[in-house]
mmCIF file of all heavy atoms in Angstrom:
data_model
loop_
_atom_site.group_PDB
_atom_site.id
_atom_site.type_symbol
_atom_site.label_atom_id
_atom_site.label_comp_id
_atom_site.label_asym_id
_atom_site.label_seq_id
_atom_site.Cartn_x
_atom_site.Cartn_y
_atom_site.Cartn_z
ATOM 1 N N PHE L 1 39.393 11.496 -39.658
ATOM 2 C CA PHE L 1 39.133 11.476 -38.232
ATOM 3 C C PHE L 1 40.379 11.955 -37.492
ATOM 4 O O PHE L 1 41.506 11.634 -37.888
ATOM 5 C CB PHE L 1 38.750 10.063 -37.785
ATOM 6 C CG PHE L 1 38.339 9.957 -36.347
ATOM 7 C CD1 PHE L 1 37.239 10.664 -35.884
ATOM 8 C CD2 PHE L 1 39.030 9.155 -35.466
ATOM 9 C CE1 PHE L 1 36.837 10.564 -34.563
ATOM 10 C CE2 PHE L 1 38.655 9.050 -34.142
ATOM 11 C CZ PHE L 1 37.551 9.768 -33.694
ATOM 12 N N LYS L 2 40.145 12.705 -36.410
ATOM 13 C CA LYS L 2 41.239 13.343 -35.684
ATOM 14 C C LYS L 2 42.276 12.343 -35.186
ATOM 15 O O LYS L 2 43.476 12.616 -35.235
ATOM 16 C CB LYS L 2 40.677 14.144 -34.515
ATOM 17 C CG LYS L 2 41.714 14.873 -33.702
ATOM 18 C CD LYS L 2 41.059 15.667 -32.585
ATOM 19 C CE LYS L 2 42.090 16.419 -31.764
ATOM 20 N NZ LYS L 2 41.452 17.195 -30.665
ATOM 21 N N PHE L 3 41.825 11.187 -34.706
ATOM 22 C CA PHE L 3 42.747 10.186 -34.165
ATOM 23 C C PHE L 3 42.845 9.036 -35.157
ATOM 24 O O PHE L 3 41.853 8.358 -35.429
ATOM 25 C CB PHE L 3 42.258 9.696 -32.810
ATOM 26 C CG PHE L 3 42.131 10.796 -31.799
ATOM 27 C CD1 PHE L 3 40.889 11.287 -31.446
ATOM 28 C CD2 PHE L 3 43.253 11.362 -31.221
ATOM 29 C CE1 PHE L 3 40.763 12.313 -30.528
ATOM 30 C CE2 PHE L 3 43.141 12.382 -30.295
ATOM 31 C CZ PHE L 3 41.897 12.861 -29.953
ATOM 32 N N ASN L 4 44.029 8.836 -35.696
ATOM 33 C CA ASN L 4 44.197 7.843 -36.737
ATOM 34 C C ASN L 4 45.613 7.283 -36.713
ATOM 35 O O ASN L 4 46.473 7.744 -35.953
ATOM 36 C CB ASN L 4 43.901 8.470 -38.103
ATOM 37 C CG ASN L 4 44.809 9.655 -38.413
ATOM 38 O OD1 ASN L 4 46.016 9.489 -38.630
ATOM 39 N ND2 ASN L 4 44.243 10.844 -38.448
ATOM 40 N N ARG L 5 45.803 6.276 -37.544
ATOM 41 C CA ARG L 5 47.132 5.712 -37.731
ATOM 42 C C ARG L 5 47.496 5.862 -39.208
ATOM 43 O O ARG L 5 46.712 5.483 -40.077
ATOM 44 C CB ARG L 5 47.164 4.239 -37.336
ATOM 45 C CG ARG L 5 48.519 3.566 -37.527
ATOM 46 C CD ARG L 5 48.432 2.087 -37.170
ATOM 47 N NE ARG L 5 48.174 1.888 -35.754
ATOM 48 C CZ ARG L 5 49.123 1.786 -34.823
ATOM 49 N NH1 ARG L 5 50.395 1.875 -35.166
ATOM 50 N NH2 ARG L 5 48.797 1.591 -33.551
ATOM 51 N N MET L 6 48.660 6.404 -39.471
ATOM 52 C CA MET L 6 49.165 6.494 -40.845
ATOM 53 C C MET L 6 50.387 5.603 -40.971
ATOM 54 O O MET L 6 51.137 5.423 -39.998
ATOM 55 C CB MET L 6 49.536 7.932 -41.213
ATOM 56 C CG MET L 6 48.358 8.889 -41.214
ATOM 57 S SD MET L 6 48.776 10.540 -41.848
ATOM 58 C CE MET L 6 48.881 10.198 -43.611
ATOM 59 N N GLY L 7 50.562 5.055 -42.136
ATOM 60 C CA GLY L 7 51.690 4.163 -42.282
ATOM 61 C C GLY L 7 52.057 3.883 -43.720
ATOM 62 O O GLY L 7 51.431 4.406 -44.653
ATOM 63 N N TRP L 8 53.075 3.064 -43.865
ATOM 64 C CA TRP L 8 53.580 2.638 -45.171
ATOM 65 C C TRP L 8 53.588 1.117 -45.229
ATOM 66 O O TRP L 8 54.024 0.450 -44.280
ATOM 67 C CB TRP L 8 54.986 3.173 -45.398
ATOM 68 C CG TRP L 8 55.040 4.652 -45.516
ATOM 69 C CD1 TRP L 8 55.261 5.562 -44.517
ATOM 70 C CD2 TRP L 8 54.847 5.414 -46.707
ATOM 71 N NE1 TRP L 8 55.216 6.835 -45.016
ATOM 72 C CE2 TRP L 8 54.965 6.765 -46.360
ATOM 73 C CE3 TRP L 8 54.600 5.079 -48.034
ATOM 74 C CZ2 TRP L 8 54.843 7.788 -47.304
ATOM 75 C CZ3 TRP L 8 54.477 6.098 -48.968
ATOM 76 C CH2 TRP L 8 54.593 7.434 -48.594
ATOM 77 N N TYR L 9 53.088 0.618 -46.347
ATOM 78 C CA TYR L 9 53.120 -0.800 -46.648
ATOM 79 C C TYR L 9 53.877 -0.970 -47.955
ATOM 80 O O TYR L 9 54.041 -0.014 -48.721
ATOM 81 C CB TYR L 9 51.698 -1.344 -46.809
ATOM 82 C CG TYR L 9 50.908 -1.424 -45.528
ATOM 83 C CD1 TYR L 9 50.475 -0.282 -44.876
ATOM 84 C CD2 TYR L 9 50.563 -2.654 -44.967
ATOM 85 C CE1 TYR L 9 49.745 -0.351 -43.694
ATOM 86 C CE2 TYR L 9 49.828 -2.748 -43.799
ATOM 87 C CZ TYR L 9 49.423 -1.582 -43.166
ATOM 88 O OH TYR L 9 48.706 -1.661 -42.014
ATOM 89 N N ARG L 10 54.319 -2.178 -48.203
ATOM 90 C CA ARG L 10 54.952 -2.446 -49.484
ATOM 91 C C ARG L 10 54.492 -3.798 -50.007
ATOM 92 O O ARG L 10 54.093 -4.681 -49.238
ATOM 93 C CB ARG L 10 56.475 -2.397 -49.375
ATOM 94 C CG ARG L 10 57.106 -3.424 -48.452
ATOM 95 C CD ARG L 10 58.595 -3.110 -48.300
ATOM 96 N NE ARG L 10 59.268 -4.092 -47.461
ATOM 97 C CZ ARG L 10 60.532 -3.962 -47.043
ATOM 98 N NH1 ARG L 10 61.259 -2.900 -47.402
ATOM 99 N NH2 ARG L 10 61.077 -4.900 -46.295
ATOM 100 N N GLN L 11 54.578 -3.910 -51.331
ATOM 101 C CA GLN L 11 54.080 -5.122 -51.972
ATOM 102 C C GLN L 11 54.891 -5.412 -53.215
ATOM 103 O O GLN L 11 55.040 -4.554 -54.094
ATOM 104 C CB GLN L 11 52.596 -4.955 -52.336
ATOM 105 C CG GLN L 11 51.954 -6.190 -52.903
ATOM 106 C CD GLN L 11 50.456 -6.020 -53.062
ATOM 107 O OE1 GLN L 11 49.942 -4.913 -53.181
ATOM 108 N NE2 GLN L 11 49.732 -7.128 -53.041
ATOM 109 N N ALA L 12 55.386 -6.627 -53.293
ATOM 110 C CA ALA L 12 56.080 -7.098 -54.483
ATOM 111 C C ALA L 12 55.096 -7.906 -55.321
ATOM 112 O O ALA L 12 54.106 -8.430 -54.789
ATOM 113 C CB ALA L 12 57.268 -7.966 -54.069
ATOM 114 N N PRO L 13 55.329 -8.033 -56.610
ATOM 115 C CA PRO L 13 54.422 -8.803 -57.473
ATOM 116 C C PRO L 13 54.226 -10.220 -56.957
ATOM 117 O O PRO L 13 55.191 -10.914 -56.630
ATOM 118 C CB PRO L 13 55.144 -8.802 -58.820
ATOM 119 C CG PRO L 13 55.964 -7.562 -58.800
ATOM 120 C CD PRO L 13 56.415 -7.413 -57.373
ATOM 121 N N GLY L 14 52.973 -10.620 -56.843
ATOM 122 C CA GLY L 14 52.658 -11.970 -56.410
ATOM 123 C C GLY L 14 52.728 -12.205 -54.919
ATOM 124 O O GLY L 14 52.518 -13.328 -54.451
ATOM 125 N N LYS L 15 53.006 -11.146 -54.169
ATOM 126 C CA LYS L 15 53.106 -11.284 -52.721
ATOM 127 C C LYS L 15 52.066 -10.407 -52.034
ATOM 128 O O LYS L 15 51.509 -9.489 -52.630
ATOM 129 C CB LYS L 15 54.513 -10.897 -52.256
ATOM 130 C CG LYS L 15 55.598 -11.848 -52.718
ATOM 131 C CD LYS L 15 56.923 -11.520 -52.053
ATOM 132 C CE LYS L 15 57.998 -12.507 -52.452
ATOM 133 N NZ LYS L 15 59.298 -12.216 -51.782
ATOM 134 N N GLU L 16 51.824 -10.711 -50.759
ATOM 135 C CA GLU L 16 50.878 -9.922 -49.985
ATOM 136 C C GLU L 16 51.493 -8.581 -49.590
ATOM 137 O O GLU L 16 52.710 -8.467 -49.427
ATOM 138 C CB GLU L 16 50.447 -10.690 -48.736
ATOM 139 C CG GLU L 16 49.601 -11.912 -49.019
ATOM 140 C CD GLU L 16 49.034 -12.519 -47.748
ATOM 141 O OE1 GLU L 16 49.339 -11.995 -46.656
ATOM 142 O OE2 GLU L 16 48.281 -13.500 -47.850
ATOM 143 N N ARG L 17 50.623 -7.622 -49.416
ATOM 144 C CA ARG L 17 51.072 -6.318 -48.946
ATOM 145 C C ARG L 17 51.468 -6.452 -47.475
ATOM 146 O O ARG L 17 50.739 -7.042 -46.686
ATOM 147 C CB ARG L 17 49.947 -5.298 -49.111
ATOM 148 C CG ARG L 17 50.355 -3.855 -48.987
ATOM 149 C CD ARG L 17 49.238 -2.941 -49.431
ATOM 150 N NE ARG L 17 48.975 -3.073 -50.867
ATOM 151 C CZ ARG L 17 48.111 -2.299 -51.517
ATOM 152 N NH1 ARG L 17 47.426 -1.360 -50.877
ATOM 153 N NH2 ARG L 17 47.927 -2.479 -52.811
ATOM 154 N N GLU L 18 52.617 -5.882 -47.118
ATOM 155 C CA GLU L 18 53.102 -6.014 -45.749
ATOM 156 C C GLU L 18 53.390 -4.649 -45.143
ATOM 157 O O GLU L 18 53.780 -3.704 -45.839
ATOM 158 C CB GLU L 18 54.377 -6.864 -45.700
ATOM 159 C CG GLU L 18 55.557 -6.282 -46.447
ATOM 160 C CD GLU L 18 56.816 -7.114 -46.300
ATOM 161 O OE1 GLU L 18 56.744 -8.253 -45.816
ATOM 162 O OE2 GLU L 18 57.900 -6.607 -46.666
ATOM 163 N N LEU L 19 53.200 -4.577 -43.830
ATOM 164 C CA LEU L 19 53.475 -3.341 -43.124
ATOM 165 C C LEU L 19 54.972 -3.070 -43.083
ATOM 166 O O LEU L 19 55.766 -3.964 -42.783
ATOM 167 C CB LEU L 19 52.935 -3.425 -41.697
ATOM 168 C CG LEU L 19 53.270 -2.242 -40.778
ATOM 169 C CD1 LEU L 19 52.515 -1.000 -41.222
ATOM 170 C CD2 LEU L 19 52.956 -2.583 -39.328
ATOM 171 N N VAL L 20 55.338 -1.829 -43.367
ATOM 172 C CA VAL L 20 56.715 -1.378 -43.221
ATOM 173 C C VAL L 20 56.856 -0.614 -41.898
ATOM 174 O O VAL L 20 57.723 -0.919 -41.082
ATOM 175 C CB VAL L 20 57.135 -0.475 -44.389
ATOM 176 C CG1 VAL L 20 58.548 0.053 -44.177
ATOM 177 C CG2 VAL L 20 57.036 -1.224 -45.705
ATOM 178 N N ALA L 21 55.998 0.373 -41.719
ATOM 179 C CA ALA L 21 56.028 1.177 -40.499
ATOM 180 C C ALA L 21 54.719 1.940 -40.387
ATOM 181 O O ALA L 21 54.104 2.267 -41.404
ATOM 182 C CB ALA L 21 57.192 2.154 -40.499
ATOM 183 N N SER L 22 54.313 2.214 -39.148
ATOM 184 C CA SER L 22 53.105 3.009 -38.939
ATOM 185 C C SER L 22 53.290 3.884 -37.710
ATOM 186 O O SER L 22 54.123 3.595 -36.837
ATOM 187 C CB SER L 22 51.872 2.122 -38.788
ATOM 188 O OG SER L 22 51.937 1.390 -37.576
ATOM 189 N N ILE L 23 52.484 4.939 -37.648
ATOM 190 C CA ILE L 23 52.566 5.880 -36.532
ATOM 191 C C ILE L 23 51.178 6.448 -36.276
ATOM 192 O O ILE L 23 50.460 6.820 -37.209
ATOM 193 C CB ILE L 23 53.589 7.004 -36.852
ATOM 194 C CG1 ILE L 23 53.713 7.979 -35.690
ATOM 195 C CG2 ILE L 23 53.256 7.729 -38.152
ATOM 196 C CD1 ILE L 23 54.877 8.962 -35.841
ATOM 197 N N THR L 24 50.824 6.506 -35.003
ATOM 198 C CA THR L 24 49.515 7.033 -34.647
ATOM 199 C C THR L 24 49.579 8.550 -34.467
ATOM 200 O O THR L 24 50.671 9.143 -34.420
ATOM 201 C CB THR L 24 49.004 6.417 -33.338
ATOM 202 O OG1 THR L 24 49.860 6.854 -32.268
ATOM 203 C CG2 THR L 24 48.995 4.900 -33.402
ATOM 204 N N THR L 25 48.419 9.140 -34.343
ATOM 205 C CA THR L 25 48.347 10.576 -34.079
ATOM 206 C C THR L 25 49.123 10.928 -32.817
ATOM 207 O O THR L 25 49.764 11.983 -32.727
ATOM 208 C CB THR L 25 46.885 11.024 -33.922
ATOM 209 O OG1 THR L 25 46.109 10.483 -34.986
ATOM 210 C CG2 THR L 25 46.777 12.523 -33.935
ATOM 211 N N GLY L 26 49.091 10.031 -31.833
ATOM 212 C CA GLY L 26 49.778 10.264 -30.573
ATOM 213 C C GLY L 26 51.251 9.931 -30.592
ATOM 214 O O GLY L 26 51.951 10.159 -29.604
ATOM 215 N N GLY L 27 51.740 9.378 -31.711
ATOM 216 C CA GLY L 27 53.171 9.120 -31.837
ATOM 217 C C GLY L 27 53.620 7.690 -31.567
ATOM 218 O O GLY L 27 54.829 7.430 -31.517
ATOM 219 N N THR L 28 52.691 6.769 -31.401
ATOM 220 C CA THR L 28 53.077 5.371 -31.221
ATOM 221 C C THR L 28 53.515 4.790 -32.558
ATOM 222 O O THR L 28 52.787 4.871 -33.539
ATOM 223 C CB THR L 28 51.902 4.558 -30.659
ATOM 224 O OG1 THR L 28 51.527 5.103 -29.384
ATOM 225 C CG2 THR L 28 52.317 3.104 -30.488
ATOM 226 N N ILE L 29 54.708 4.190 -32.571
ATOM 227 C CA ILE L 29 55.331 3.729 -33.814
ATOM 228 C C ILE L 29 55.507 2.219 -33.816
ATOM 229 O O ILE L 29 55.843 1.623 -32.789
ATOM 230 C CB ILE L 29 56.693 4.424 -34.009
ATOM 231 C CG1 ILE L 29 56.493 5.915 -34.285
ATOM 232 C CG2 ILE L 29 57.484 3.775 -35.139
ATOM 233 C CD1 ILE L 29 57.783 6.709 -34.333
ATOM 234 N N THR L 30 55.298 1.645 -34.974
ATOM 235 C CA THR L 30 55.551 0.226 -35.202
ATOM 236 C C THR L 30 56.407 0.080 -36.448
ATOM 237 O O THR L 30 56.135 0.735 -37.467
ATOM 238 C CB THR L 30 54.239 -0.546 -35.403
ATOM 239 O OG1 THR L 30 53.413 -0.389 -34.239
ATOM 240 C CG2 THR L 30 54.504 -2.019 -35.625
ATOM 241 N N TYR L 31 57.425 -0.775 -36.379
ATOM 242 C CA TYR L 31 58.279 -1.070 -37.530
ATOM 243 C C TYR L 31 58.273 -2.562 -37.813
ATOM 244 O O TYR L 31 58.238 -3.385 -36.893
ATOM 245 C CB TYR L 31 59.728 -0.658 -37.266
ATOM 246 C CG TYR L 31 59.990 0.827 -37.230
ATOM 247 C CD1 TYR L 31 60.272 1.459 -36.016
ATOM 248 C CD2 TYR L 31 59.978 1.592 -38.390
ATOM 249 C CE1 TYR L 31 60.527 2.822 -35.968
ATOM 250 C CE2 TYR L 31 60.229 2.948 -38.350
ATOM 251 C CZ TYR L 31 60.501 3.562 -37.137
ATOM 252 O OH TYR L 31 60.754 4.902 -37.088
ATOM 253 N N ALA L 32 58.373 -2.912 -39.087
ATOM 254 C CA ALA L 32 58.664 -4.285 -39.442
ATOM 255 C C ALA L 32 60.095 -4.593 -39.014
ATOM 256 O O ALA L 32 60.967 -3.720 -39.057
ATOM 257 C CB ALA L 32 58.520 -4.478 -40.940
ATOM 258 N N ASN L 33 60.345 -5.842 -38.612
ATOM 259 C CA ASN L 33 61.692 -6.214 -38.159
ATOM 260 C C ASN L 33 62.735 -5.962 -39.242
ATOM 261 O O ASN L 33 63.878 -5.609 -38.942
ATOM 262 C CB ASN L 33 61.714 -7.678 -37.745
ATOM 263 C CG ASN L 33 60.987 -7.918 -36.437
ATOM 264 O OD1 ASN L 33 60.889 -7.021 -35.594
ATOM 265 N ND2 ASN L 33 60.460 -9.118 -36.262
ATOM 266 N N SER L 34 62.343 -6.120 -40.487
ATOM 267 C CA SER L 34 63.290 -6.011 -41.592
ATOM 268 C C SER L 34 63.803 -4.585 -41.806
ATOM 269 O O SER L 34 64.814 -4.402 -42.492
ATOM 270 C CB SER L 34 62.647 -6.515 -42.878
ATOM 271 O OG SER L 34 61.473 -5.787 -43.161
ATOM 272 N N VAL L 35 63.116 -3.591 -41.245
ATOM 273 C CA VAL L 35 63.537 -2.208 -41.469
ATOM 274 C C VAL L 35 63.975 -1.500 -40.193
ATOM 275 O O VAL L 35 64.421 -0.352 -40.251
ATOM 276 C CB VAL L 35 62.419 -1.384 -42.154
ATOM 277 C CG1 VAL L 35 61.959 -2.078 -43.429
ATOM 278 C CG2 VAL L 35 61.251 -1.144 -41.216
ATOM 279 N N LYS L 36 63.854 -2.160 -39.064
ATOM 280 C CA LYS L 36 64.257 -1.533 -37.796
ATOM 281 C C LYS L 36 65.724 -1.118 -37.854
ATOM 282 O O LYS L 36 66.579 -1.878 -38.291
ATOM 283 C CB LYS L 36 64.027 -2.503 -36.641
ATOM 284 C CG LYS L 36 62.581 -2.624 -36.208
ATOM 285 C CD LYS L 36 62.440 -3.584 -35.032
ATOM 286 C CE LYS L 36 60.979 -3.702 -34.602
ATOM 287 N NZ LYS L 36 60.816 -4.680 -33.495
ATOM 288 N N GLY L 37 65.984 0.103 -37.393
ATOM 289 C CA GLY L 37 67.350 0.617 -37.395
ATOM 290 C C GLY L 37 67.760 1.260 -38.705
ATOM 291 O O GLY L 37 68.822 1.894 -38.781
ATOM 292 N N ARG L 38 66.946 1.096 -39.749
ATOM 293 C CA ARG L 38 67.275 1.694 -41.058
ATOM 294 C C ARG L 38 66.235 2.730 -41.496
ATOM 295 O O ARG L 38 66.591 3.728 -42.118
ATOM 296 C CB ARG L 38 67.360 0.597 -42.121
ATOM 297 C CG ARG L 38 68.424 -0.437 -41.851
ATOM 298 C CD ARG L 38 68.596 -1.369 -43.057
ATOM 299 N NE ARG L 38 67.398 -2.122 -43.359
ATOM 300 C CZ ARG L 38 66.786 -2.101 -44.538
ATOM 301 N NH1 ARG L 38 67.268 -1.346 -45.532
ATOM 302 N NH2 ARG L 38 65.697 -2.828 -44.752
ATOM 303 N N PHE L 39 64.981 2.483 -41.219
ATOM 304 C CA PHE L 39 63.909 3.383 -41.634
ATOM 305 C C PHE L 39 63.387 4.158 -40.426
ATOM 306 O O PHE L 39 63.359 3.645 -39.311
ATOM 307 C CB PHE L 39 62.752 2.606 -42.243
ATOM 308 C CG PHE L 39 63.040 1.951 -43.566
ATOM 309 C CD1 PHE L 39 64.321 1.904 -44.106
ATOM 310 C CD2 PHE L 39 62.003 1.368 -44.294
ATOM 311 C CE1 PHE L 39 64.585 1.308 -45.320
ATOM 312 C CE2 PHE L 39 62.242 0.762 -45.520
ATOM 313 C CZ PHE L 39 63.537 0.731 -46.017
ATOM 314 N N ILE L 40 62.960 5.379 -40.689
ATOM 315 C CA ILE L 40 62.372 6.215 -39.650
ATOM 316 C C ILE L 40 61.064 6.803 -40.170
ATOM 317 O O ILE L 40 61.040 7.456 -41.220
ATOM 318 C CB ILE L 40 63.321 7.365 -39.254
ATOM 319 C CG1 ILE L 40 64.648 6.810 -38.752
ATOM 320 C CG2 ILE L 40 62.668 8.247 -38.181
ATOM 321 C CD1 ILE L 40 65.705 7.868 -38.533
ATOM 322 N N ILE L 41 59.990 6.559 -39.418
ATOM 323 C CA ILE L 41 58.699 7.127 -39.785
ATOM 324 C C ILE L 41 58.406 8.316 -38.888
ATOM 325 O O ILE L 41 58.760 8.318 -37.698
ATOM 326 C CB ILE L 41 57.572 6.072 -39.693
ATOM 327 C CG1 ILE L 41 56.282 6.601 -40.325
ATOM 328 C CG2 ILE L 41 57.332 5.629 -38.254
ATOM 329 C CD1 ILE L 41 55.210 5.531 -40.501
ATOM 330 N N SER L 42 57.781 9.332 -39.462
ATOM 331 C CA SER L 42 57.399 10.507 -38.691
ATOM 332 C C SER L 42 56.142 11.098 -39.329
ATOM 333 O O SER L 42 55.767 10.712 -40.441
ATOM 334 C CB SER L 42 58.529 11.543 -38.657
ATOM 335 O OG SER L 42 58.854 11.968 -39.966
ATOM 336 N N ARG L 43 55.527 12.024 -38.628
ATOM 337 C CA ARG L 43 54.325 12.643 -39.186
ATOM 338 C C ARG L 43 54.175 14.061 -38.678
ATOM 339 O O ARG L 43 54.708 14.427 -37.622
ATOM 340 C CB ARG L 43 53.068 11.827 -38.854
ATOM 341 C CG ARG L 43 52.713 11.748 -37.382
ATOM 342 C CD ARG L 43 51.485 10.846 -37.175
ATOM 343 N NE ARG L 43 50.271 11.473 -37.692
ATOM 344 C CZ ARG L 43 49.110 10.824 -37.859
ATOM 345 N NH1 ARG L 43 49.040 9.518 -37.588
ATOM 346 N NH2 ARG L 43 48.055 11.458 -38.324
ATOM 347 N N ASP L 44 53.432 14.836 -39.453
ATOM 348 C CA ASP L 44 53.060 16.188 -39.089
ATOM 349 C C ASP L 44 51.544 16.204 -39.008
ATOM 350 O O ASP L 44 50.864 16.203 -40.046
ATOM 351 C CB ASP L 44 53.571 17.180 -40.134
ATOM 352 C CG ASP L 44 53.300 18.634 -39.769
ATOM 353 O OD1 ASP L 44 52.315 18.901 -39.056
ATOM 354 O OD2 ASP L 44 54.059 19.497 -40.212
ATOM 355 N N ASN L 45 51.003 16.185 -37.799
ATOM 356 C CA ASN L 45 49.553 16.080 -37.635
ATOM 357 C C ASN L 45 48.822 17.291 -38.219
ATOM 358 O O ASN L 45 47.729 17.152 -38.774
ATOM 359 C CB ASN L 45 49.200 15.929 -36.159
ATOM 360 C CG ASN L 45 49.606 14.577 -35.607
ATOM 361 O OD1 ASN L 45 49.694 13.597 -36.333
ATOM 362 N ND2 ASN L 45 49.884 14.529 -34.309
#
């Protein structure tokens, strides 16, 4: 679908999958607090 959100999650053994970062088609970005300032998400639509 033309309008979507893409992102990265991570999961350690025995733990729930957690959001790392996501970005919408329009460029709205969300980061987990643990990676803010260290990770950068981007996309090529």
